[in-house]
Amino acid sequence: MSAEPAPLPARHVLILGGTTEARRLAEALAGDPSCHVTTSLAGRVASPVLPPGDARIGGFGGATGLAAWIVAHDVTRVVDATHPFAERMSFNAAEAQALTGVPLLALRRPGWTPRPGDDWTFADSLDEAAERLPGLGSRAFLTTGRMGLHTFAHLTDTWFLVRSVDPPPDFVRGDPQAAPVPPRLEVLLDRGPFALEGERELIARHRIDVLVTKDSGGTATAPKLTAAREAGIPVLVVRRPPVPEGVARAESVAAALEWLAAAAGA
Ligand code: NAP
């Protein structure tokens, strides 16, 4: 006589991941036997740190693909814990909520705020940042990620130190098919968290005179802001895109757990 397979837990939480908060949320839910957790990753990073629970990697095929996945896998709650700048995925998640009725929470860590001594200039987009950059400095520490690098490609008078986890896409010098990159740049492959001492050293060694960053928030990459303040150099900060309308929001893993617990008790 074969034993019946154990029934799956009634709750299935889909975490749209790619951030520290997504991993922490998966870790916090891992000990809850009443909850099945799946974390979804885009597959951009060559060797991602996988969270506990199930993981799936790769796009869903737009909002309708995501909605179909949610229905097919009996997902009961979705937490969009993607990076604050993963605008397309957050939009798709909001669309999927509208299509399926499965509740969605956007987990967004708070953004950064300037402190006394900071010299910050804000831009609403990478394009605007590229417009403003030449007025602020000529040796830029660019930490906005490898995907938008082409936005700065026309800035021939600026030298760039580009830091990213993986190399910029198709970054092959002399390849006419490759995505354009600024002509004067050095690529530094590294993954946070970053310590203040290392950020100070990079700014001094490369004679950086302007830092470019997204308003990612959090502590893992914040030391560059302190190092810039200490060095007296300006910071060009790209503002976050808004969370889509009609989506519940939480700023911490604890608040997301409360939302999930309230939903479970409803
Ligand atoms: P995006 O522009 O918002 O998304 C583009 C497409 O990638 C989406 O339409 C979706 O494809 C797929 N995708 C994105 N996140 C996914 C996820 N968690 N699971 C499955 N598919 C996903 O996103 P992005 O800015 O390229 O960022 C990609 C990932 O890197 C995100 O998960 C994000 O959390 C992480 N990340 C982004 C940044 C940043 O600055 N943008 C920084 C650090 C980490 P389909 O339409 O086919 O479903």
Coordinates of all heavy atoms in Angstrom, one line a residue, residues 8-16 25 29 32-39 66-80 93 96-105 248 256-257 259-266:
L8 N -0.1 19.8 -0.3 CA 0.7 21.1 -0.3 C 0.0 22.0 0.7 O -1.2 22.0 0.9 CB 0.6 21.7 -1.7 CG 1.6 21.1 -2.7 CD1 1.4 21.7 -4.0 CD2 3.1 21.3 -2.2
P9 N 0.8 22.9 1.3 CA 0.2 23.9 2.2 C -0.8 24.8 1.4 O -0.7 24.9 0.2 CB 1.4 24.8 2.7 CG 2.6 24.0 2.4 CD 2.2 23.1 1.3
A10 N -1.9 25.2 2.2 CA -2.9 26.0 1.5 C -2.5 27.3 1.0 O -3.0 27.9 0.0 CB -4.1 26.2 2.5
R11 N -1.4 27.9 1.6 CA -0.9 29.2 1.2 C 0.3 29.0 0.3 O 1.2 28.3 0.6 CB -0.5 30.1 2.4 CG -1.7 30.4 3.3 CD -1.2 30.8 4.7 NE -0.4 32.0 4.6 CZ 0.6 32.2 5.5 NH1 0.9 31.3 6.4 NH2 1.3 33.3 5.4
H12 N 0.2 29.7 -0.8 CA 1.4 29.7 -1.7 C 1.8 31.2 -2.0 O 1.0 31.9 -2.7 CB 1.1 29.0 -3.0 CG 2.2 28.9 -4.0 ND1 2.1 28.4 -5.2 CD2 3.5 29.2 -3.8 CE1 3.3 28.4 -5.8 NE2 4.2 28.9 -5.0
V13 N 2.9 31.6 -1.5 CA 3.3 33.0 -1.7 C 4.4 33.0 -2.8 O 5.4 32.3 -2.7 CB 4.0 33.5 -0.4 CG1 4.5 35.0 -0.6 CG2 2.9 33.5 0.7
L14 N 4.1 33.8 -3.8 CA 5.1 34.0 -4.9 C 5.9 35.3 -4.6 O 5.2 36.4 -4.5 CB 4.4 34.1 -6.2 CG 5.3 34.6 -7.4 CD1 6.4 33.5 -7.7 CD2 4.5 34.8 -8.7
I15 N 7.2 35.2 -4.4 CA 8.0 36.4 -4.2 C 8.7 36.7 -5.5 O 9.5 35.9 -6.0 CB 9.0 36.2 -3.1 CG1 8.3 35.8 -1.8 CG2 9.9 37.4 -2.9 CD1 9.3 35.4 -0.6
L16 N 8.5 37.9 -6.0 CA 9.3 38.4 -7.2 C 10.5 39.0 -6.6 O 10.5 40.0 -5.9 CB 8.4 39.4 -8.0 CG 7.1 38.9 -8.4 CD1 6.2 40.0 -9.0 CD2 7.2 37.8 -9.4
L25 N 12.7 37.8 3.2 CA 11.3 37.4 3.3 C 11.2 35.9 3.1 O 10.5 35.2 3.9 CB 10.5 38.1 2.3 CG 9.0 37.9 2.4 CD1 8.4 38.3 3.7 CD2 8.2 38.6 1.3
L29 N 9.9 33.1 5.9 CA 8.7 32.2 5.7 C 9.1 30.8 5.7 O 8.2 29.9 5.7 CB 8.0 32.6 4.4 CG 7.3 34.0 4.4 CD1 6.9 34.4 3.0 CD2 6.1 34.0 5.3
D32 N 7.7 28.2 8.2 CA 6.2 28.2 8.4 C 5.7 27.0 7.6 O 5.6 27.1 6.3 CB 5.6 29.5 7.9 CG 4.1 29.5 8.1 OD1 3.5 28.5 8.4 OD2 3.5 30.6 8.0
P33 N 5.3 25.9 8.2 CA 4.8 24.7 7.4 C 3.5 25.0 6.7 O 3.1 24.2 5.8 CB 4.7 23.6 8.5 CG 4.6 24.4 9.8 CD 5.2 25.7 9.7
S34 N 2.8 26.0 7.1 CA 1.5 26.3 6.5 C 1.7 27.1 5.2 O 0.7 27.5 4.5 CB 0.6 27.1 7.4 OG 1.0 28.4 7.5
C35 N 2.9 27.4 4.8 CA 3.2 28.3 3.7 C 4.2 27.7 2.7 O 5.3 27.3 3.1 CB 3.7 29.6 4.3 SG 3.8 30.9 3.1
H36 N 3.8 27.6 1.5 CA 4.7 27.2 0.4 C 5.2 28.5 -0.3 O 4.4 29.4 -0.6 CB 3.9 26.4 -0.6 CG 4.6 26.0 -1.8 ND1 4.0 25.6 -3.0 CD2 5.9 25.9 -2.1 CE1 4.9 25.3 -3.9 NE2 6.1 25.5 -3.4
V37 N 6.5 28.6 -0.4 CA 7.1 29.9 -1.0 C 7.9 29.6 -2.3 O 8.7 28.7 -2.3 CB 8.1 30.5 0.0 CG1 8.7 31.8 -0.5 CG2 7.4 30.8 1.3
T38 N 7.6 30.4 -3.3 CA 8.4 30.3 -4.5 C 9.0 31.7 -4.7 O 8.3 32.7 -4.7 CB 7.5 29.9 -5.7 OG1 6.9 28.7 -5.5 CG2 8.4 29.8 -7.0
T39 N 10.3 31.8 -4.9 CA 10.9 33.0 -5.3 C 11.3 33.0 -6.8 O 11.8 32.0 -7.3 CB 12.2 33.3 -4.5 OG1 12.0 33.3 -3.1 CG2 12.9 34.6 -4.9
L66 N 2.5 36.0 -16.4 CA 2.6 36.0 -14.9 C 1.3 35.6 -14.3 O 1.2 34.8 -13.4 CB 3.1 37.4 -14.4 CG 3.0 37.6 -12.9 CD1 4.0 36.6 -12.2 CD2 3.5 39.0 -12.5
A67 N 0.2 36.2 -14.9 CA -1.2 35.9 -14.4 C -1.4 34.4 -14.6 O -2.0 33.7 -13.7 CB -2.2 36.7 -15.1
A68 N -1.0 33.8 -15.7 CA -1.3 32.4 -16.0 C -0.5 31.5 -15.0 O -1.0 30.5 -14.5 CB -0.9 32.1 -17.4
W69 N 0.7 32.0 -14.6 CA 1.6 31.2 -13.7 C 0.9 31.2 -12.3 O 0.8 30.2 -11.6 CB 3.0 31.8 -13.7 CG 4.0 30.9 -13.1 CD1 4.9 30.1 -13.8 CD2 4.3 30.6 -11.7 NE1 5.7 29.4 -12.9 CE2 5.4 29.7 -11.7 CE3 3.8 31.1 -10.5 CZ2 5.9 29.2 -10.5 CZ3 4.3 30.6 -9.3 CH2 5.4 29.7 -9.3
I70 N 0.4 32.4 -11.9 CA -0.2 32.5 -10.6 C -1.4 31.6 -10.5 O -1.6 30.9 -9.5 CB -0.7 34.0 -10.4 CG1 0.6 34.9 -10.2 CG2 -1.6 34.2 -9.3 CD1 0.4 36.4 -10.3
V71 N -2.2 31.5 -11.5 CA -3.4 30.7 -11.5 C -3.0 29.2 -11.5 O -3.5 28.4 -10.7 CB -4.4 31.0 -12.7 CG1 -5.5 30.0 -12.8 CG2 -4.9 32.5 -12.5
A72 N -2.1 28.9 -12.4 CA -1.7 27.4 -12.6 C -1.1 26.9 -11.3 O -1.2 25.7 -11.1 CB -0.8 27.3 -13.8
H73 N -0.4 27.7 -10.5 CA 0.3 27.3 -9.3 C -0.5 27.6 -8.0 O 0.1 27.5 -7.0 CB 1.7 27.8 -9.3 CG 2.5 27.3 -10.4 ND1 2.5 27.8 -11.7 CD2 3.4 26.2 -10.5 CE1 3.3 27.1 -12.5 NE2 3.9 26.2 -11.8
D74 N -1.7 27.9 -8.2 CA -2.6 28.2 -7.0 C -1.9 29.2 -6.0 O -1.9 29.0 -4.8 CB -2.9 26.9 -6.2 CG -3.8 26.0 -7.0 OD1 -4.6 26.5 -7.7 OD2 -3.5 24.8 -7.0
V75 N -1.3 30.3 -6.6 CA -0.7 31.3 -5.7 C -1.8 32.1 -5.0 O -2.8 32.4 -5.6 CB 0.2 32.2 -6.6 CG1 0.7 33.4 -5.8 CG2 1.3 31.5 -7.2
T76 N -1.6 32.3 -3.7 CA -2.6 33.0 -2.9 C -2.2 34.4 -2.6 O -3.1 35.3 -2.3 CB -2.9 32.2 -1.6 OG1 -1.6 32.0 -0.9 CG2 -3.5 30.9 -1.8
R77 N -0.9 34.7 -2.6 CA -0.4 36.1 -2.4 C 0.8 36.3 -3.2 O 1.7 35.4 -3.3 CB -0.1 36.4 -0.9 CG -1.3 36.4 0.0 CD -2.1 37.7 -0.2 NE -3.3 37.8 0.7 CZ -4.5 37.3 0.5 NH1 -4.7 36.5 -0.6 NH2 -5.4 37.5 1.4
V78 N 1.0 37.5 -3.7 CA 2.2 37.9 -4.5 C 2.9 39.0 -3.8 O 2.2 40.0 -3.4 CB 1.9 38.3 -5.9 CG1 3.2 38.6 -6.7 CG2 1.2 37.1 -6.7
V79 N 4.2 38.9 -3.5 CA 5.0 40.0 -3.0 C 6.0 40.4 -4.1 O 6.9 39.7 -4.5 CB 5.7 39.7 -1.7 CG1 6.5 40.9 -1.2 CG2 4.7 39.2 -0.6
D80 N 5.8 41.7 -4.5 CA 6.8 42.2 -5.5 C 8.0 42.8 -4.7 O 7.9 43.9 -4.2 CB 6.1 43.3 -6.4 CG 7.1 44.1 -7.2 OD1 8.2 43.6 -7.4 OD2 6.7 45.2 -7.7
A93 N 3.3 43.0 -12.4 CA 2.7 42.4 -11.2 C 1.4 43.1 -10.9 O 0.4 42.4 -10.5 CB 3.7 42.6 -10.0
A96 N -1.1 41.7 -13.3 CA -1.5 40.4 -12.9 C -2.5 40.4 -11.8 O -3.4 39.5 -11.7 CB -0.3 39.6 -12.6
Q97 N -2.3 41.3 -10.8 CA -3.3 41.4 -9.7 C -4.7 41.8 -10.3 O -5.7 41.2 -9.9 CB -2.9 42.5 -8.8 CG -3.9 42.8 -7.7 CD -3.5 43.9 -6.7 OE1 -3.4 43.6 -5.5 NE2 -3.2 45.1 -7.2
A98 N -4.7 42.7 -11.3 CA -6.0 43.1 -11.9 C -6.6 41.9 -12.6 O -7.8 41.7 -12.6 CB -5.8 44.2 -12.8
L99 N -5.8 41.1 -13.3 CA -6.3 40.0 -14.1 C -6.7 38.8 -13.2 O -7.7 38.1 -13.6 CB -5.2 39.5 -15.0 CG -4.8 40.4 -16.2 CD1 -3.5 39.9 -16.9 CD2 -6.0 40.4 -17.2
T100 N -6.0 38.5 -12.1 CA -6.3 37.3 -11.3 C -7.1 37.6 -10.0 O -7.7 36.7 -9.5 CB -5.0 36.6 -10.9 OG1 -4.3 37.5 -10.1 CG2 -4.2 36.2 -12.1
G101 N -7.0 38.8 -9.5 CA -7.6 39.1 -8.2 C -6.7 38.6 -7.0 O -7.1 38.8 -5.9
V102 N -5.6 38.0 -7.3 CA -4.7 37.6 -6.2 C -4.0 38.8 -5.7 O -3.3 39.5 -6.4 CB -3.7 36.5 -6.7 CG1 -2.7 36.2 -5.6 CG2 -4.4 35.3 -7.2
P103 N -4.1 39.1 -4.4 CA -3.6 40.3 -3.8 C -2.0 40.4 -3.9 O -1.3 39.4 -3.8 CB -4.0 40.3 -2.3 CG -5.1 39.3 -2.3 CD -4.9 38.3 -3.4
L104 N -1.6 41.7 -4.2 CA -0.2 42.0 -4.4 C 0.3 43.0 -3.4 O -0.4 44.0 -3.1 CB -0.1 42.6 -5.8 CG 1.3 43.2 -6.2 CD1 2.4 42.2 -6.3 CD2 1.1 44.0 -7.6
L105 N 1.5 42.8 -2.9 CA 2.1 43.8 -2.0 C 3.5 44.2 -2.7 O 4.2 43.3 -3.1 CB 2.4 43.2 -0.7 CG 3.2 44.1 0.3 CD1 2.2 45.1 0.9 CD2 3.8 43.2 1.5
A248 N -0.8 47.6 -2.7 CA -0.4 47.8 -1.3 C 1.1 47.9 -1.2 O 1.8 47.3 -2.0 CB -0.9 46.7 -0.5
A256 N 5.9 43.3 5.6 CA 5.4 42.4 4.6 C 4.9 41.1 5.3 O 3.8 40.6 4.9 CB 6.5 42.0 3.6
L257 N 5.6 40.7 6.3 CA 5.1 39.5 7.1 C 3.8 39.8 7.8 O 2.9 38.9 7.8 CB 6.2 39.1 8.1 CG 7.4 38.4 7.5 CD1 8.5 38.3 8.6 CD2 7.1 37.0 7.0
W259 N 1.5 41.8 6.7 CA 0.5 41.8 5.6 C 0.1 40.4 5.2 O -1.1 40.1 5.1 CB 1.1 42.6 4.4 CG 0.1 42.7 3.2 CD1 -0.9 43.6 3.0 CD2 0.1 41.8 2.0 NE1 -1.5 43.4 1.8 CE2 -0.9 42.3 1.2 CE3 0.9 40.8 1.6 CZ2 -1.1 41.7 -0.1 CZ3 0.6 40.2 0.4 CH2 -0.4 40.7 -0.5
L260 N 1.1 39.5 5.2 CA 0.8 38.1 4.8 C 0.0 37.4 5.9 O -0.9 36.7 5.7 CB 2.1 37.4 4.6 CG 2.8 37.7 3.2 CD1 4.2 37.2 3.2 CD2 2.0 37.2 2.0
A261 N 0.4 37.8 7.2 CA -0.3 37.1 8.3 C -1.8 37.6 8.4 O -2.7 36.8 8.6 CB 0.4 37.5 9.6
A262 N -2.0 38.9 8.1 CA -3.3 39.4 8.1 C -4.1 38.8 7.0 O -5.3 38.4 7.2 CB -3.3 41.0 7.9
A263 N -3.5 38.5 5.9 CA -4.2 37.9 4.8 C -4.6 36.5 5.1 O -5.7 36.0 4.8 CB -3.3 37.9 3.5
A264 N -3.6 35.8 5.8 CA -3.9 34.4 6.2 C -5.0 34.3 7.2 O -5.8 33.3 7.2 CB -2.6 33.8 6.8
G265 N -5.2 35.3 8.1 CA -6.2 35.3 9.1 C -7.5 35.8 8.6 O -8.6 35.6 9.3
A266 N -7.6 36.3 7.4 CA -8.8 37.0 6.9 C -9.8 35.9 6.5 O -9.5 34.8 6.1 CB -8.4 37.8 5.7

